[in-house]
Amino acid sequence: MIDGFAKDSLHGRLRRDRAALLWKLEGLSEYDARRPLTATGTSLLGLVKHVASVEARYFGEVFGRPSPEPLPRWQDHDGSDLWAAEDEIRDQIVASYRRTWEHSDATIGHLPLDAPGHVPWWPEPHSRTNLFATLVHVLGETNRHAGHADILRESPDGRTGMRPEHETPVDEEARSAFRAKVEQAARSAASIKAWRH
């Protein structure tokens, strides 16, 4: 009984975080969805592409159920899943991510939580896993990157919120005042610390 509850709970949270990640692309121009928003080149569409690849691998090859989506071999990882090339169409990346969900959902639905798996890119003896640990791992990855997307989305248009129902209207004046307050607190703390030393 607890296994069914745990599986349903983890799977439900994974579905929620997948949707949150995709929501961050809504309303963005092609440029804003793809442009690097950090010094390391992280983009919103790149995060979606990366999470799709992660999920396809963990709920695919780890359990002997290879993804129908084309993926480079894990040994050949070259960072190409972290950004969208000019010839990659946003709708195709999103559709691929949704198809990955279907394949992952089938794996999750088909296997018990203690189903054994093998992660070939993890060192031994840690490469042996099961569906429960994999669900927790992929949920963590998806949640982490959805959080990144939440922060990145502020750059193009100021939009915030973890999910559509949490979105708040942009009040530039209030945001500017709050940011100034935080900046002042940081400067004051730094000068107090310098004075004490």
Side-chain angles (χ1 to χ4, degrees):
M1 179 162 200
I2 189 70
D3 282 1
F5 172 79
K7 185 194 257 191
D8 290 346
S9 179
L10 291 170
H11 197 184
R13 288 176 180 272
L14 178 61
R15 287 180 173 125
R16 177 199 68 192
D17 292 345
R18 289 167 173 165
L21 181 58
L22 277 188
W23 175 61
K24 292 301 175 178
L25 291 175
E26 284 184 20
L28 286 179
S29 68
E30 198 64 34
Y31 172 72
D32 283 335
R34 296 166 173 272
R35 72 180 170 115
L37 295 166
T38 68
T40 58
T42 305
S43 70
L44 287 160
L45 189 57
L47 285 175
V48 170
K49 186 178 173 187
H50 173 68
V51 172
S53 175
V54 166
E55 188 169 321
R57 290 193 186 293
Y58 278 98
F59 293 120
E61 11 183 329
V62 167
F63 295 99
R65 299 170 58 92
S67 171
E69 296 299 305
L71 297 168
R73 295 179 330 136
W74 64 268
Q75 300 98 323
D76 298 338
H77 179 70
D78 59 2
S80 62
D81 74 330
L82 296 169
W83 63 286
E86 59 273 1
D87 62 341
E88 293 180 293
I89 299 167
R90 175 170 44 183
D91 289 346
Q92 289 175 336
I93 291 172
V94 169
S96 174
Y97 187 29
R98 290 184 184 278
R99 286 190 303 274
T100 294
W101 298 357
E102 292 171 11
H103 184 260
S104 298
D105 290 348
T107 298
I108 294 165
H110 179 73
L111 299 175
L113 283 179
D114 63 352
H118 175 256
V119 185
W121 51 92
W122 287 0
E124 292 291 347
H126 307 290
S127 64
R128 299 287 168 204
T129 191
N130 60 35
L131 182 62
F132 176 79
T134 302
L135 255 168
V136 170
H137 180 80
V138 173
L139 176 59
E141 284 282 322
T142 305
N143 186 272
R144 175 177 176 234
H145 293 308
H148 293 152
D150 192 38
I151 292 167
L152 293 178
R153 180 57 196 255
E154 291 183 33
S155 292
D157 62 8
R159 187 177 189 184
T160 62
M162 194 168 87
R163 293 188 293 279
E165 61 270 23
H166 297 148
E167 184 176 11
T168 55
V170 177
D171 180 341
E172 293 295 343
E173 190 174 312
R175 282 188 181 175
S176 181
F178 181 75
R179 189 178 188 293
K181 179 178 159 180
V182 174
E183 177 68 27
Q184 181 55 46
R187 288 184 186 281
S188 294
S191 66
I192 290 169
K193 184 174 181 180
W195 177 77
R196 287 182 179 163
H197 292 288

